Amino acid sequence: MEKKITVLPGDGIGPEIVAQAVKVLDCVAEKFGHTFTYTYADIGGCSIDRHGVPITKEAMQTCKDADSVLLGAVGGPKWDSCAPEIRPEKALLAVRKELGLFANLRPTKLFPQLSDASPLKQEIVGQGIDLLIVRELTGGVYFGEHTTTEKNGELCAVDIMPYSESEIERIGRVAFETARKRGGKLASVDKANVLDTSRLWRKTMHRLAEEYQDVTYSDILVDNTAMQLIKNPTQFDVLVTENMFGDILSDEASMLTGSIGMMPSASLSSGTLGMYEPIHGSAPDIAEQDIANPLGTILSAAMMLRYSFDMPKEADAIEAAVNRVLDDGYRTGDIMQDGCQQVGCSKMGDLVAQRIA
Ligand code: IPM
Ligand code: MG
């Protein structure tokens, strides 16, 4: 098959981790007889520096024209003082919105080889962690109105968190369908004891639960979820939640996998176009030192093959190769353990690619 991939390396460690995922994709293409063509474009701080905006119209168009998008990371202290409208993160949110990427899947899986790398005790993570966070990605407070005004001699800021029933229903369906294909359990995370958006969320989820009787459904408050993820993470199969709760909970959950560097994500639309990126940020403090962990990005490429290209064998091949590299004792610094061999970002990419070839 021939597929067009738009590559947005972005800032900080973005370019180096994305290069490893492309290396691995090239290896998959060669082995399975596909042709992947890449169009590179700027996003985030590097785009602000070169073009004065965090994403140009042309770059956005290459995303829309592609079969899928691979993203590194955006942002960094250099652009922290930019006006809110041109901040690097603005571009990421714009791509999510313009491509209609409303469903963000964040699988949280602990590779057994890394159970020592998690800061949690063996008795908690030792039984194996395998949960999936389904985060709503184009609604809520991220996309509501943001204003700062002066009132009675002081500044006041307001961020509005809107949700419509149809926005909740479509993410709910993705979550129920996904739960059906996994462990058959879905927990819907909200703050229905305080927020109207959460009360609408819960009501809508309950309506869907009637339709998906084969899925074991429960409601859980977001603060309790934050606690339960640490106390008893194996109780969860699929968690579905709104945009900001999902952002926060997925960073928390990443530590169950040993390192945030291990976590991939897929942002899906109602069609096959998707964007794939690790959940971590641009980590400017370790950029350009060849020490970042590229596995979250490589595993995101596997999700691209699975969800956008319908290439499950190829996706399995990447995941199996990552497994083997870990079995063989290779680690980047963030997941380093006694008795293992520490390698850099590029070497880690080579090791995964070799095991596919
Ligand atoms: C993420 C990131 C983004 C988000 C930032 C960079 C805007 O934290 O993908 O989780 O908040 O969605
Ligand atoms: Mg985040």
Side-chain angles (χ1 to χ4, degrees):
M1 271 199 260
E2 288 186 21
K3 294 290 178 190
K4 287 186 292 186
I5 303 172
T6 290
V7 183
L8 306 171
D11 306 318
I13 59 171
E16 45 197 301
I17 53 174
V18 159
Q20 307 318 311
V22 170
K23 196 185 271 178
V24 168
L25 283 169
D26 279 339
C27 218
V28 168
E30 164 125 20
K31 169 147 181 177
F32 292 87
H34 302 301
T35 308
F36 298 148
T37 50
Y38 308 99
T39 306
Y40 284 81
D42 292 328
I43 188 169
C46 64
S47 176
I48 297 174
D49 289 350
R50 283 185 207 130
H51 317 287
V53 286
I55 187 162
T56 62
K57 283 200 186 74
E58 296 73 32
M60 183 68 85
Q61 193 59 43
T62 64
C63 295
K64 291 181 181 166
D65 293 341
D67 294 310
S68 77
V69 181
L70 178 67
L71 175 87
V74 296
K78 182 174 174 198
W79 305 283
D80 273 350
S81 54
C82 288
E85 319 78 67
I86 69 149
R87 277 190 69 98
E89 292 80 3
K90 248 320 205 227
L92 179 56
L93 302 188
V95 175
R96 289 173 178 171
K97 192 72 171 181
E98 289 204 24
L99 270 56
L101 307 173
F102 69 91
N104 184 218
L105 309 187
R106 300 194 155 183
T108 307
K109 203 169 156 180
L110 172 66
F111 284 86
Q113 303 92 325
L114 300 184
S115 61
D116 274 351
S118 170
L120 292 182
K121 290 195 185 115
Q122 271 302 308
E123 61 203 73
I124 293 175
V125 294
Q127 315 149 50
I129 303 290
D130 183 6
L131 57 95
L132 174 74
I133 297 175
V134 178
R135 170 186 176 195
E136 200 291 324
L137 203 59
T138 52
V141 72
Y142 276 60
F143 294 94
E145 210 181 308
H146 308 282
T147 47
T148 305
T149 46
E150 212 184 299
K151 246 191 216 157
N152 308 323
E154 63 174 345
L155 290 174
C156 289
V158 180
D159 296 294
I160 296 177
M161 181 175 188
Y163 264 112
S164 69
E165 227 175 328
S166 57
E167 283 175 309
I168 300 169
E169 176 167 343
R170 65 179 180 177
I171 190 71
R173 288 199 183 278
V174 170
F176 276 102
E177 297 286 341
T178 315
R180 211 172 231 179
K181 292 187 212 127
R182 286 178 44 106
K185 254 170 70 178
L186 177 64
S188 168
V189 180
D190 64 34
K191 189 72 186 172
N193 52 351
V194 177
L195 302 176
D196 258 40
T197 44
S198 282
R199 287 189 270 270
L200 181 61
W201 182 277
R202 194 175 277 207
K203 191 170 158 209
T204 310
M205 290 295 163
H206 284 194
R207 177 160 58 73
L208 292 178
E210 294 291 314
E211 263 183 62
Y212 295 87
Q213 300 260 353
D214 52 320
V215 173
T216 308
Y217 174 87
S218 58
D219 302 302
I220 181 166
L221 293 172
V222 62
D223 46 352
N224 187 25
T225 310
M227 189 217 354
Q228 297 294 338
L229 274 171
I230 302 299
K231 188 177 167 202
N232 178 16
T234 53
Q235 70 184 287
F236 296 117
D237 176 22
V238 180
L239 291 160
V240 63
T241 193
E242 67 87 34
N243 205 343
M244 188 163 67
F245 295 162
D247 177 45
I248 298 168
L249 291 177
S250 57
D251 266 37
E252 184 192 3
S254 75
M255 288 318 290
L256 303 169
T257 71
S259 164
I260 195 168
M262 294 300 297
M263 264 185 78
S265 84
S267 304
L268 307 175
S269 62
S270 51
T272 56
L273 177 60
M275 178 158 74
Y276 300 83
E277 55 175 310
I279 81 150
H280 61 71
S282 60
D285 51 322
I286 60 161
E288 291 172 46
Q289 297 168 45
D290 193 33
I291 57 173
N293 183 349
L295 292 177
T297 318
I298 291 172
L299 292 167
S300 301
M303 293 186 88
M304 171 188 293
L305 299 178
R306 196 180 300 285
Y307 292 102
S308 281
F309 301 168
D310 193 22
M311 297 180 179
K313 278 201 317 284
E314 291 83 339
D316 286 347
I318 295 183
E319 286 159 4
V322 169
N323 230 312
R324 252 181 299 140
V325 168
L326 296 175
D327 275 342
D328 294 344
Y330 296 104
R331 304 282 187 272
T332 43
D334 57 322
I335 50 173
M336 185 55 190
Q337 289 162 274
D338 280 349
C340 290
Q341 189 181 337
Q342 190 162 335
V343 295
C345 179
S346 170
K347 174 80 181 172
M348 188 55 108
D350 290 342
L351 290 165
V352 176
Q354 280 159 17
R355 278 155 187 77
I356 290 168

Short mmCIF file of all heavy atoms in Angstrom, two decimals, residues 74 89 92-93 96 106 135 137 142 243 247 250-251 277-279, ligand 1:
data_model
loop_
_atom_site.label_atom_id
_atom_site.label_comp_id
_atom_site.label_asym_id
_atom_site.label_seq_id
_atom_site.Cartn_x
_atom_site.Cartn_y
_atom_site.Cartn_z
N VAL A 74 5.62 19.91 21.01
CA VAL A 74 5.74 21.36 20.80
C VAL A 74 5.98 22.09 22.12
O VAL A 74 5.62 21.60 23.19
CB VAL A 74 4.47 21.98 20.15
CG1 VAL A 74 4.25 21.43 18.76
CG2 VAL A 74 3.24 21.78 21.02
N GLU A 89 1.57 25.71 21.67
CA GLU A 89 0.48 24.76 21.96
C GLU A 89 -0.77 25.06 21.14
O GLU A 89 -1.57 24.18 20.85
CB GLU A 89 0.11 24.79 23.45
CG GLU A 89 1.18 24.25 24.39
CD GLU A 89 2.30 25.23 24.68
OE1 GLU A 89 2.25 26.39 24.20
OE2 GLU A 89 3.25 24.85 25.40
N LEU A 92 -1.01 22.91 18.06
CA LEU A 92 -1.41 21.53 18.33
C LEU A 92 -2.93 21.45 18.49
O LEU A 92 -3.61 20.59 17.91
CB LEU A 92 -0.70 21.05 19.60
CG LEU A 92 -0.98 19.65 20.07
CD1 LEU A 92 -0.66 18.64 18.99
CD2 LEU A 92 -0.13 19.35 21.31
N LEU A 93 -3.47 22.41 19.25
CA LEU A 93 -4.92 22.43 19.45
C LEU A 93 -5.64 22.71 18.13
O LEU A 93 -6.68 22.11 17.85
CB LEU A 93 -5.30 23.49 20.51
CG LEU A 93 -4.65 23.32 21.89
CD1 LEU A 93 -5.26 24.30 22.89
CD2 LEU A 93 -4.78 21.90 22.42
N ARG A 96 -5.70 19.50 16.06
CA ARG A 96 -6.70 18.58 16.62
C ARG A 96 -8.09 19.01 16.18
O ARG A 96 -8.91 18.19 15.76
CB ARG A 96 -6.61 18.58 18.16
CG ARG A 96 -5.37 17.88 18.68
CD ARG A 96 -5.22 18.05 20.20
NE ARG A 96 -4.05 17.35 20.72
CZ ARG A 96 -3.60 17.47 21.96
NH1 ARG A 96 -4.21 18.27 22.82
NH2 ARG A 96 -2.54 16.79 22.35
N ARG A 106 -5.08 6.75 24.77
CA ARG A 106 -3.79 6.74 25.47
C ARG A 106 -3.62 5.42 26.22
O ARG A 106 -3.99 5.30 27.39
CB ARG A 106 -3.69 7.94 26.40
CG ARG A 106 -3.82 9.25 25.64
CD ARG A 106 -3.41 10.47 26.42
NE ARG A 106 -3.01 11.52 25.49
CZ ARG A 106 -2.53 12.71 25.83
NH1 ARG A 106 -2.39 13.02 27.09
NH2 ARG A 106 -2.17 13.58 24.92
N ARG A 135 -9.61 9.94 25.91
CA ARG A 135 -9.74 11.36 26.27
C ARG A 135 -10.47 12.12 25.16
O ARG A 135 -10.06 12.04 24.00
CB ARG A 135 -8.32 11.93 26.47
CG ARG A 135 -8.26 13.43 26.62
CD ARG A 135 -6.80 13.92 26.65
NE ARG A 135 -6.77 15.37 26.69
CZ ARG A 135 -5.69 16.11 26.45
NH1 ARG A 135 -4.53 15.53 26.17
NH2 ARG A 135 -5.76 17.42 26.50
N LEU A 137 -11.02 15.15 22.92
CA LEU A 137 -9.88 16.00 22.55
C LEU A 137 -10.21 17.32 21.86
O LEU A 137 -9.33 18.14 21.65
CB LEU A 137 -8.93 15.18 21.67
CG LEU A 137 -7.47 15.61 21.61
CD1 LEU A 137 -6.81 15.59 22.98
CD2 LEU A 137 -6.67 14.76 20.63
N TYR A 142 -10.47 23.51 26.92
CA TYR A 142 -9.41 23.81 25.95
C TYR A 142 -9.93 24.67 24.80
O TYR A 142 -9.19 25.41 24.19
CB TYR A 142 -8.84 22.52 25.35
CG TYR A 142 -7.77 21.84 26.17
CD1 TYR A 142 -8.02 21.42 27.46
CD2 TYR A 142 -6.50 21.62 25.63
CE1 TYR A 142 -7.03 20.78 28.19
CE2 TYR A 142 -5.52 20.99 26.35
CZ TYR A 142 -5.78 20.57 27.64
OH TYR A 142 -4.81 19.94 28.36
N ASN A 243 -11.69 16.42 28.13
CA ASN A 243 -10.37 16.84 27.67
C ASN A 243 -9.35 17.10 28.79
O ASN A 243 -8.29 16.47 28.84
CB ASN A 243 -10.57 18.10 26.81
CG ASN A 243 -9.47 18.31 25.81
OD1 ASN A 243 -8.40 17.72 25.92
ND2 ASN A 243 -9.71 19.15 24.82
N ASP A 247 -6.13 14.86 30.16
CA ASP A 247 -4.75 15.36 30.07
C ASP A 247 -4.02 15.05 31.37
O ASP A 247 -2.92 14.51 31.38
CB ASP A 247 -4.78 16.87 29.80
CG ASP A 247 -3.39 17.46 29.76
OD1 ASP A 247 -2.50 16.86 29.13
OD2 ASP A 247 -3.17 18.53 30.39
N SER A 250 -3.77 11.16 32.31
CA SER A 250 -2.86 10.36 31.50
C SER A 250 -1.40 10.59 31.89
O SER A 250 -0.58 9.68 31.82
CB SER A 250 -3.10 10.55 30.00
OG SER A 250 -2.97 11.89 29.64
N ASP A 251 -1.06 11.80 32.31
CA ASP A 251 0.30 12.01 32.84
C ASP A 251 0.50 11.19 34.11
O ASP A 251 1.54 10.58 34.33
CB ASP A 251 0.57 13.48 33.14
CG ASP A 251 1.24 14.21 31.98
OD1 ASP A 251 0.90 13.90 30.82
OD2 ASP A 251 2.10 15.08 32.24
N GLU A 277 1.18 10.68 18.33
CA GLU A 277 2.24 11.39 19.05
C GLU A 277 2.44 10.76 20.42
O GLU A 277 1.51 10.20 20.99
CB GLU A 277 1.86 12.87 19.22
CG GLU A 277 0.51 13.05 19.90
CD GLU A 277 0.13 14.50 20.22
OE1 GLU A 277 0.94 15.21 20.82
OE2 GLU A 277 -1.00 14.89 19.90
N PRO A 278 3.67 10.86 20.94
CA PRO A 278 3.87 10.42 22.33
C PRO A 278 3.14 11.39 23.25
O PRO A 278 2.90 12.53 22.85
CB PRO A 278 5.38 10.53 22.51
CG PRO A 278 5.79 11.62 21.56
CD PRO A 278 4.87 11.48 20.37
N ILE A 279 2.81 10.96 24.47
CA ILE A 279 2.04 11.90 25.32
C ILE A 279 2.94 12.90 26.03
O ILE A 279 2.47 13.89 26.57
CB ILE A 279 1.12 11.18 26.35
CG1 ILE A 279 1.89 10.72 27.59
CG2 ILE A 279 0.33 10.05 25.74
CD1 ILE A 279 0.99 10.71 28.82
C1 IPM B 1 -0.91 16.57 25.78
C2 IPM B 1 -0.24 17.89 26.04
C3 IPM B 1 -1.03 19.00 25.37
C4 IPM B 1 -2.42 19.00 25.98
C5 IPM B 1 -0.39 20.40 25.48
C6 IPM B 1 1.01 20.43 24.89
C7 IPM B 1 -1.25 21.47 24.87
O1 IPM B 1 -0.08 18.09 27.39
O2 IPM B 1 -1.06 16.21 24.60
O3 IPM B 1 -1.26 15.90 26.74
O4 IPM B 1 -2.63 19.61 27.05
O5 IPM B 1 -3.31 18.40 25.39
#
